Amino acid sequence: SASIWGSCLDSLETNERAKVLSFVFKKDQERSLLSILLQKYVILKRFGCTDFTIKRTRENKPYVCPSVSADVGTWNFNASHHGDFVAIVSHDSFLVGLDIVDISTRCNWVANFAEFLEIYRKQLTTDEVKTILSFHSENDRYTHFFVLWALKEAYVKAVGCGIGIDLTKIHFDVTYCTRCTDDDPHNTFSGTAVMTVSSYRRNDWRFDFWSLDATHVIAVSRGPLAEALDTYIESAW
């Protein structure tokens, strides 16, 4: 209702409210609002205080800044929202990141998947492109592309390195634990992935992904704290 919407907006900081209202469409405003409220709830449950500010590094990784002397330690979190879903992940002992993608996304200015792939080819490794093209149907190719994209985003968001990273140096070998069939209306699947960075296999990172519904996939990353950027460590910890 309008009263609940207004109350939720009033509970936000000025900059948070401005961020929510910067979106043109109401659905986007609602997702942004829910994301901020979810972050605040998780921080409240974790630290038991209400006097805190959510800030971001210059690379846009979020962190909590308590106004009181609460010990944040190495706790970190990440949030994502897309479609009907808003999600958050947090941990004390590992860097964490997540991303939600809509695998039904299509570009109306391309005629087929081959043209779509050309747009993003520079963000993928040669072997990732080969794996995508090994799927027979266009829908499966789109699905695998978006799984890879979500995994890359989950890693980038965990480390907090922003858009400056060369994604072609990050390669994912994907294993589907469950895979949908053509007659599955729910498009259900899940899996894991192993990351290779600059030809070095990173077994100290864990990646999981699964479908949330017929069109949305979530990917979650977990890795060593030592890989956080200095800008994040200096600001958050």
Side-chain angles (χ1 to χ4, degrees), residues 22 28 45 67 95 134 146 148-149 204 211 215 219 223 228 230:
S22 68
D28 293 326
K45 295 293 289 184
S67 299
L95 283 180
S134 71
F146 282 115
L148 288 171
W149 193 261
D204 51 347
S211 53
T215 59
D230 289 340

Side-chain angles (χ1 to χ4, degrees), residues 96-116:
V96 288
L98 84 162
D99 193 50
I100 300 173
V101 295
D102 182 352
I103 63 174
S104 67
T105 300
R106 302 291 185 267
C107 298
N108 56 17
W109 58 87
V110 299
N112 50 46
F113 179 78
E115 292 184 11
F116 174 85

Side-chain angles (χ1 to χ4, degrees), residues 151-165:
L151 290 166
K152 288 176 185 269
E153 284 285 332
Y155 170 69
V156 167
K157 291 168 74 174
V159 176
C161 54
I163 61 174
I165 192 170

Side-chain angles (χ1 to χ4, degrees), residues 179-190:
R179 191 72 172 94
C180 65
T181 59
D182 291 338
D183 58 355
D184 178 8
H186 303 294
N187 198 24
T188 304
F189 61 91
S190 63

Side-chain angles (χ1 to χ4, degrees), residues 44-112:
L44 172 63
K45 295 293 289 184
R46 174 62 180 81
F47 298 105
C49 66
T50 57
D51 195 8
F52 59 81
T53 305
I54 298 173
K55 297 185 177 182
R56 291 180 176 271
T57 65
R58 64 171 176 262
E59 295 85 8
N60 207 36
K61 183 172 174 65
Y63 64 94
V64 58
C65 184
S67 299
V68 295
S69 57
D71 183 14
V72 175
T74 53
W75 185 82
N76 64 110
F77 71 99
N78 217 273
S80 181
H81 56 82
H82 204 299
D84 294 330
F85 297 96
V86 179
I88 190 168
V89 62
S90 67
H91 212 287
D92 288 281
S93 304
F94 297 95
L95 283 180
V96 288
L98 84 162
D99 193 50
I100 300 173
V101 295
D102 182 352
I103 63 174
S104 67
T105 300
R106 302 291 185 267
C107 298
N108 56 17
W109 58 87
V110 299
N112 50 46

Side-chain angles (χ1 to χ4, degrees), residues 115-129:
E115 292 184 11
F116 174 85
L117 184 60
E118 283 304 311
I119 299 173
Y120 296 97
R121 184 181 287 270
K122 292 182 180 180
Q123 311 300 327
L124 301 166
T125 68
T126 300
D127 285 341
E128 286 174 337
V129 171

